[in-house]
Amino acid sequence: ELKVEQNPLFLSMQEGKNYTIYCNYSTTSDRLYWYRQDPGKSLESLFVLLSNGAVKQEGRLMASLDTKARLSTLHITAAVHDLSATYFCAVDDAGKSTFGDGTTLTVKP
Amino acid sequence: GAGVSQSPSNKVTEKGKDVELRCDPISGHTALYWYRQRLGQGLEFLIYFQGNSAPDKSGLPSDRFSAERTGESVSTLTIQRTQQEDSAVYLCASSLRGHSNQPQHFGDGTRLSIL
């Protein structure tokens, strides 16, 4: 059974700081997704990572995938308040996705 | 609309009643997924439909839960004899096809409250 672990689960950071969220998974997969969820809202796709070494960047967020280590990271650069949300990674598992428990990010002024 | 549509957006019902939740996927999306999200928690996979293949029901928590899909369009998730622990947001998602390089597109969910 595929297990996906994210850490930290809760992250409070100041504006302007950098931080990394980690996503570890237990079995081989070459497809990993990052989603964002705002309070009371549904999930929005951020990144699709399809191969070992894949790196995607959008604004202050950068995601990478190391399939050998079974690890993906979501790096936040110079955080701003608008990035406050819950971030989920999801790993492809024979066509369906197994989600991590999410990292709730709060960016403070 | 162009997105995944779910109805109702909110449902309050008494324990023991049956409920039916509806999902309209994005047109042309062959893969459809149902998830449950309890308050403050992650997504729990329930069921996955891919085209005309037999659905993957491995996530359904009990035989009170069932789902159907008409061709490659509307899906309904039915919960019979609801219990208080069924209270959650039920999310539906669709994608062009499963096991692909496409992310899932999520609806706004149905917030189910069992009294």
Side-chain angles (χ1 to χ4, degrees), chain A residues 11-19 60-61 75-84 105-109:
Chain A
L11 175 57
S12 180
M13 55 191 298
Q14 285 191 310
E15 283 190 328
K17 298 293 187 182
N18 305 333
Y19 207 84
R60 300 174 187 274
L61 300 178
H75 187 72
I76 303 153
T77 301
V80 293
H81 179 70
D82 285 352
L83 291 180
S84 297
L105 171 65
T106 303
V107 180
K108 300 180 177 179

Side-chain angles (χ1 to χ4, degrees), chain B residues 96-110:
Chain B
L96 272 175
R97 61 183 184 278
H99 201 56
S100 76
N101 60 358
Q102 300 298 318
Q104 296 175 25
H105 298 262
F106 284 81
D108 288 338
T110 294

Side-chain angles (χ1 to χ4, degrees), chain B residues 63-79:
Chain B
D63 59 7
R64 297 187 295 107
F65 288 71
S66 63
E68 293 185 350
R69 188 180 185 192
T70 309
E72 294 185 350
S73 60
V74 172
S75 176
T76 55
L77 175 69
T78 301
I79 309 172

